[in-house]
Amino acid sequence: MSGAPRVLIVEDEAFVAMELRARLEDLGYEVDGVLAHGEAALAIEPSELPDLVLMDVNLVGEMDGIETARRLREAGDLAVVFLTAYSDAGLVRRAMEVDAHGFLTKPFREKELEVTLRLALKRRELETALAQANQGLEQRVRERTESLRQARNEAERANAAKSDFLSRASHELRTPLNVILGFAQLLELPGDLHLSEAHRDHVREIHRAGQHLLRMVDDILGLARLDTGKLDVRSAPLSLLPVVQECAAEIGPAAARRDVTVILPQGGPSSVFADAAHFKQVLLNLLSNAVKFNREGGVIRIECTSMADRRVRISVTDSGRGLSSEEQVRLFRPFERLESAYEGVEGMGIGLFQAKKLVEGMGGTIGVESEPGVGSTFWFELPETTGTDGRTVLLIGGNPAKQRLMERILASRGGLEFLHAESVEAGMKLVVTGRPDLILVHLDLPDSYGSGGSRHLRRSEGTRDIPVIAITAEATTRTKRQARDAGFRDVLAEPLAPRAVLDVINRHLTPYPSPDGE
Amino acid sequence: MTQGREAGLLDAASAPPPATMKSDFDPMATPPKHTVLIAEDNAQLRRLFTTVLTAAGYVVVAVSHGGEVLPSIQEHQPDTLLLDLGLPGIDGFTILQEVRSGVGSSLHVVLTTGRLLEDHDPALQMADGYLLKPIGLKDLVESVRPSPQ
């Protein structure tokens, strides 16, 4: 604040105003002027507003002092001190609401005037400083957020570029591989090519190395896919025995070559909540390792066990040479190969890393227990699916026919409990008692709930982390985008197709760890 | 362009050469000699495919550039086009569209690619088949034989 503080007097009694002016000038204030009406004060340009206005509460005219002060404070940043008389008790109560910087009750002493004005100006000064500090803080938060966002984008771009490169490279490698394998295959064909036995043997080596290279190329491609976060998990109840048998049959020939016996699970849980393709890939990987690292004539035992916390453990035990604790730590890292373990065994050390990613993608865990000299047990645990697998879907809105349809669709999947609420408010109560794992909400609710209500769902503690899916008859690309922007995980178009509904439910019911916790 | 039948060379890996196709249900639909146009920019692969398909009894024409494919179809009237999707010049997909909209709409087209194609890939839907590199010789020989119509 430079120079003397500027004060405006709004007072309709000329004598009082004159008196005030004189006293203020004595105190060193610069008096901008004396006005008799609120309207005149409001006519002042915002840039011309004083530091303080001394306002008579009880003005004659259209607008009293309180209303004038309220409007002035909206227009600019200035201190307001009201002048009141004892007879103005009702007005004083209203004046409090304007959050004035001071009150002077007429008649007042000179000292009162001085102190009140000084305090009022001091308060205004602090308010201004606080507002500026806040603004600076907000600005810094904005800048910090922006730089974090940029850093994240940068990292994502770099990672995408890396995966893209890996993917391209593995495609490009296929052409020369094709040449190597193709000509080797040509040489291996029986025919009128007079190759000596030694030459044939050499060709076989070329062919074998080419095949090895191809598997590595496929592994790199698989890794690039995992890395881009493109892992598509569609978990659903999966019957254990058939898929275990299928995997065992697939590994059968390799096991037979090494005279390894595969023992299938006896009893145990009958199903698991998993993505069938990923489950198979994981189990096949563990089985193929168990064959590769087993001793000739060894045994592989597959077991399925119910664990605590409604989880199912699938374990593969081999009779290989076992792993030391240091080796166990390194196992699940990419490209880590245990030198001592794999003499003569091909691979790049990606399989277990990939298995870990897949299991985690399905909301499970993977691990190993091993005793050197006796064998190793590799296991993975996934959610179980007995009866209702503890998963509950809450539908909000929709007429009785729509509720019945949804109930039937969910029943066809099995393993789900169905809850229904007419409104978002009722739904919020059910969220507390029913603890749903997923919420479906009709956007076309007759009242204002729809998207506003879902915003409520997403902001409230306890429901924030539950995926909310929108259902709408108006599923245009635009509404879908808007819904996603509004925080819905997905949008279902009416009329509902059961398969689409189950796809979406399975996708979002899976505990799916995401890097930024969205 | 080479042709001939090196007896026995591909016995273990190949489908029956065109000669045996006369015993197929409708022999008139398949002429005695099939011509395969190979469009592949990698010279070694071109040589491999040419060697194998020639040995299997096909008449083989090979080109290496996207721009050569359509003129070559005009000139040689092949029965089958073995088309690399990643050709230089005009890319494989554009060629495929041209073929399907033009004179060669009934041409048997087999795509070759280093990239795993999704089921709903538009290129795949316009083609009669696709081979992922590296391509096994047996698969190669079997895929280029047009199905009798």
Side-chain angles (χ1 to χ4, degrees):
Chain A
M1 222 177 292
S2 61
R6 290 162 49 216
V7 179
L8 174 70
I9 301 167
V10 185
E11 169 61 77
D12 52 3
E13 289 174 54
F15 178 75
V16 178
M18 235 169 68
E19 173 95 16
L20 271 171
R21 176 172 209 148
R23 290 213 222 165
L24 285 174
E25 280 170 352
D26 284 350
L27 288 170
Y29 293 101
E30 185 187 327
V31 177
D32 269 13
V34 176
L35 302 173
H37 299 285
E39 289 85 348
L42 288 173
I44 298 171
E45 289 288 317
S47 58
E48 296 294 312
L49 283 174
D51 299 304
L52 185 143
V53 60
L54 207 50
M55 177 76 69
D56 185 11
V57 168
N58 203 357
L59 290 175
V60 293
E62 294 285 302
M63 214 181 318
D64 66 16
I66 297 163
E67 182 59 19
T68 310
R70 199 182 61 73
R71 295 204 193 174
L72 278 176
R73 293 208 59 188
E74 276 174 11
D77 159 38
L78 77 174
V80 173
V81 173
F82 283 121
L83 293 169
T84 64
Y86 282 115
S87 57
D88 296 335
L91 282 177
V92 170
R93 211 172 307 119
R94 269 183 59 217
M96 305 281 279
E97 289 165 16
V98 181
D99 189 24
H101 294 67
F103 290 88
L104 283 168
T105 309
K106 293 185 269 192
F108 47 83
R109 283 190 295 246
E110 175 140 0
K111 200 70 194 163
E112 259 182 289
L113 176 68
E114 187 185 350
V115 171
T116 303
L117 288 198
R118 197 182 295 158
L119 283 177
L121 285 167
K122 188 72 199 165
R123 188 181 137 193
R124 173 185 175 252
E125 196 181 311
L126 292 174
E127 280 172 354
T128 309
L130 188 65
Q132 274 168 1
N134 271 341
Q135 216 169 30
L137 206 58
E138 275 168 27
Q139 178 64 21
R140 270 167 58 200
V141 168
R142 265 198 303 276
E143 282 168 8
R144 192 69 59 86
T145 310
E146 176 60 18
S147 75
L148 281 176
R149 201 182 61 78
Q150 277 176 1
R152 198 183 81 161
N153 286 351
E154 195 56 46
E156 278 173 359
R157 253 201 306 280
N159 200 38
K162 187 193 75 183
S163 299
D164 187 52
F165 169 76
L166 282 176
S167 162
R168 272 170 199 279
S170 69
H171 292 135
E172 290 302 320
L173 290 171
R174 284 171 181 275
T175 296
L177 255 175
N178 200 157
V179 176
I180 294 169
L181 286 171
F183 279 107
Q185 206 188 337
L186 207 52
L187 281 173
E188 280 182 327
L189 291 172
D192 50 1
L193 292 163
H194 302 291
L195 287 186
S196 72
E197 197 41 50
H199 284 145
R200 288 191 181 281
D201 195 42
H202 298 165
V203 172
R204 266 194 295 278
E205 291 297 341
I206 295 172
H207 197 167
R208 221 169 65 85
Q211 291 290 354
H212 182 192
L213 203 52
L214 175 58
R215 275 193 296 278
M216 297 205 288
V217 167
D218 284 341
D219 277 352
I220 291 179
L221 190 62
L223 205 60
R225 283 217 189 89
L226 285 183
D227 221 32
T228 41
K230 279 185 197 154
L231 189 58
D232 186 16
V233 179
R234 292 170 186 228
S235 286
L238 176 69
S239 289
L240 272 170
L241 196 59
V243 69
V244 170
Q245 279 171 337
E246 197 183 330
C247 291
E250 216 159 299
I251 210 72
R257 274 197 292 280
R258 305 205 62 214
D259 195 22
V260 168
T261 312
V262 180
I263 301 170
L264 291 175
Q266 310 292 318
S270 61
S271 70
V272 68
F273 192 72
D275 179 302
H278 294 336
F279 182 97
K280 223 182 122 180
Q281 198 182 337
V282 172
L283 184 55
L284 270 177
N285 178 269
L286 297 189
L287 287 174
S288 111
N289 282 346
V291 170
K292 279 194 269 185
F293 299 109
N294 220 317
R295 58 180 164 78
E296 291 277 335
V299 174
I300 297 173
R301 187 182 298 276
I302 310 172
E303 280 170 308
C304 300
T305 329
S306 289
M307 307 296 285
D309 302 337
R310 314 173 77 106
R311 297 179 87 76
V312 173
R313 172 181 285 210
I314 296 93
S315 57
V316 175
T317 305
D318 64 52
S319 54
R321 65 164 190 76
L323 298 155
S324 70
S325 43
E326 302 90 77
E327 286 174 324
Q328 292 176 29
V329 175
R330 288 164 52 204
L331 271 176
F332 295 97
R333 297 183 194 151
F335 301 110
E336 288 264 2
R337 297 214 54 196
L338 306 177
E339 294 303 324
S340 54
Y342 80 98
E343 287 151 42
V345 180
E346 285 172 353
M348 229 180 2
I350 282 181
L352 280 177
F353 173 71
Q354 213 164 354
K356 181 170 186 272
K357 290 281 187 184
L358 292 174
V359 169
E360 285 170 355
M362 292 185 283
T365 47
I366 193 167
V368 63
E369 281 146 24
S370 186
E371 198 180 325
V374 178
S376 308
T377 299
F378 285 85
W379 55 263
F380 58 104
E381 287 183 8
L382 294 168
E384 70 176 18
T385 51
T386 47
T388 70
D389 51 346
R391 283 156 181 282
T392 304
V393 172
L394 167 63
L395 173 70
I396 299 176
N399 60 35
K402 288 179 177 181
Q403 294 164 33
R404 273 200 304 280
L405 173 65
M406 184 58 74
E407 201 169 357
R408 273 215 303 279
I409 293 175
L410 295 184
S412 77
R413 176 190 177 278
L416 289 177
E417 201 173 317
F418 176 70
L419 294 175
H420 176 258
E422 300 286 343
S423 69
V424 169
E425 274 78 0
M428 290 297 295
K429 292 198 185 96
L430 270 179
V431 164
V432 178
T433 54
R435 302 203 142 275
D437 300 278
L438 185 126
I439 300 171
L440 300 162
V441 58
H442 277 276
L443 285 191
D444 321 315
L445 290 173
D447 43 33
S448 63
Y449 296 140
S451 61
S454 76
R455 202 165 299 131
H456 187 49
L457 289 173
R458 278 182 299 99
R459 292 216 176 126
S460 311
E461 190 146 0
T463 54
R464 224 180 354 227
D465 299 327
I466 303 174
V468 182
I469 315 281
I471 301 175
T472 174
E474 199 199 333
T476 61
T477 318
R478 197 166 135 263
T479 51
K480 280 186 177 176
R481 198 183 54 236
Q482 282 171 346
R484 289 221 169 79
D485 289 347
F488 291 101
R489 290 287 181 83
D490 228 319
V491 180
L492 281 168
E494 288 190 299
L496 294 175
R499 254 190 75 176
V501 174
L502 290 181
D503 258 9
V504 163
I505 286 176
N506 287 336
R507 186 152 57 239
H508 295 286
L509 262 185
T510 313
Y512 188 73
S514 74
D516 43 17
E518 278 174 15
Chain B
M1 195 191 310
T2 30
Q3 47 178 287
R5 210 165 298 152
E6 293 168 37
L9 178 60
L10 288 167
D11 283 356
S14 72
T20 66
M21 291 188 64
K22 284 182 177 157
S23 63
D24 275 338
F25 182 66
D26 184 5
M28 295 313 288
T30 50
K33 282 284 183 192
H34 284 301
T35 299
V36 179
L37 173 60
I38 298 172
E40 166 62 56
D41 61 319
N42 181 286
Q44 289 175 293
L45 267 193
R46 225 163 39 236
R47 190 171 158 202
L48 176 70
F49 294 163
T50 304
T51 308
V52 172
L53 292 177
T54 304
Y58 291 93
V59 177
V60 174
V61 184
V63 297
S64 61
H65 192 274
E68 298 172 278
V69 179
L70 293 173
S72 191
I73 290 174
Q74 292 283 349
E75 186 184 342
H76 299 283
Q77 302 288 320
D79 304 280
T80 298
L81 169 63
L82 191 66
L83 178 64
D84 181 16
L85 273 181
L87 280 182
I90 306 172
D91 71 277
F93 184 68
T94 309
I95 293 171
L96 190 56
Q97 283 178 312
E98 291 283 325
V99 166
R100 283 302 182 233
S101 62
V103 281
S105 54
S106 64
L107 185 61
H108 184 75
V109 181
V110 178
L111 305 174
T112 67
T113 162
R115 187 179 295 266
L116 204 61
L117 298 181
E118 303 281 343
D119 288 344
H120 50 76
D121 192 290
L124 200 54
Q125 285 173 3
M126 280 191 283
D128 299 294
Y130 106 97
L131 297 166
L132 177 67
K133 294 174 184 176
I135 300 163
L137 303 189
K138 188 165 184 272
D139 291 340
L140 175 67
V141 173
E142 280 177 359
S143 69
V144 297
R145 182 184 54 196
S147 48
Q149 306 198 346

